[in-house]
Amino acid sequence: MQRDSSQKVIVVCGPTATGKSDYAVALAKSFPPAGGGEIISADSRQVYKGLDIGSGKITKREMKGVPHHLLDVANPKRSFSVAQYKKLAEKTLQAIFKKGKTPIICGGTGFYIDALLYSGEFPAVSPNSTLRKKLEKLSPEALFDRLQTLDPDRAEDIDRYNKVRLIRAIEIATALGRVPKIKRQAKYAIEWHYLDFPDEVLKKRIHDRLLKRMKAGMVAEVKKLHNPAAGGGVSWKRLEALGLEYRFLALFLQNKLTKQEMLEQLESAIWHYAKRQRTWFKKYAK
């Protein structure tokens, strides 16, 4: 597919806790006509309904009237694939172009951003029930180690605690030898805005944000997601599969971790995830 230089896409990317959402809103409001930008989220947890505080989902007030898309489009009880994201996001992107506005892709899930902006089809590898049953028995750590052996490139950006995504990546790599890379042929004219901070500053931002989310009711959010009487009904297993905040809070609420262990392990996991995000985005945002 040839690049359509008349269709310009802005990408706001970078590690977690760098202020991407606020930056994207300010950018959207700066485009003519006044407020001429619309934002498409590229976050693998913010697609789910009810995953608000833990995922850092932007609030209506914080949106400041700027239209946001691809938030709250999936049921957290079921897995939402990158292929599903690509289909919805491409439709939204074209709708924004038709309105004469500027689309801004904002988020930290590099795999989603690549899927949307670069040509290439996802591998048609059917689920392998026998392999999946074996892999389900393994811990996220063991699954991540296996994926690193099979395909270290795919392991760069994946959430190492998300069992669903790890199992699917291993399934594809086992069938094809590796997870195929999306071809590096941009479908649009892309303007990259990469946000980052020095290590110590970013670590402090991650720490402060975690404490802020705890005070905002992140534990209560996960309890509600799990509780059928509160309209949730998301299993502990599924919450753990959602990774990061939801994994560690689920373990804490099952008394598998103390509060202190949960906070320490979660903060460490977020920092390691931020480093993987850096590796992914720095290939493009130079």
Side-chain angles (χ1 to χ4, degrees), residues 53-56 209-218 245:
I53 300 172
S55 71
R209 189 187 67 174
L210 177 55
L211 295 183
K212 183 179 178 181
R213 289 182 180 179
M214 288 293 289
K215 290 178 181 177
M218 191 162 60
E245 290 85 355

Side-chain angles (χ1 to χ4, degrees), residues 76-78 132-138 140 143 161-165 167 222 225-226 233-243 246-251 254 256:
K77 294 180 184 179
R78 295 187 289 273
R132 287 189 174 193
K133 286 178 182 178
K134 291 179 181 178
L135 295 176
E136 277 286 351
K137 298 175 182 177
L138 300 178
L143 290 169
Y161 298 107
N162 189 322
K163 287 189 70 170
V164 172
R165 194 160 294 170
I167 288 171
V222 177
L225 283 165
H226 177 65
V234 184
S235 69
W236 290 129
K237 182 179 178 181
R238 174 62 183 149
L239 283 164
E240 289 179 35
L242 287 166
Y246 297 95
R247 166 179 162 78
F248 287 97
L249 282 164
L251 293 172
Q254 294 172 85
K256 294 181 178 179

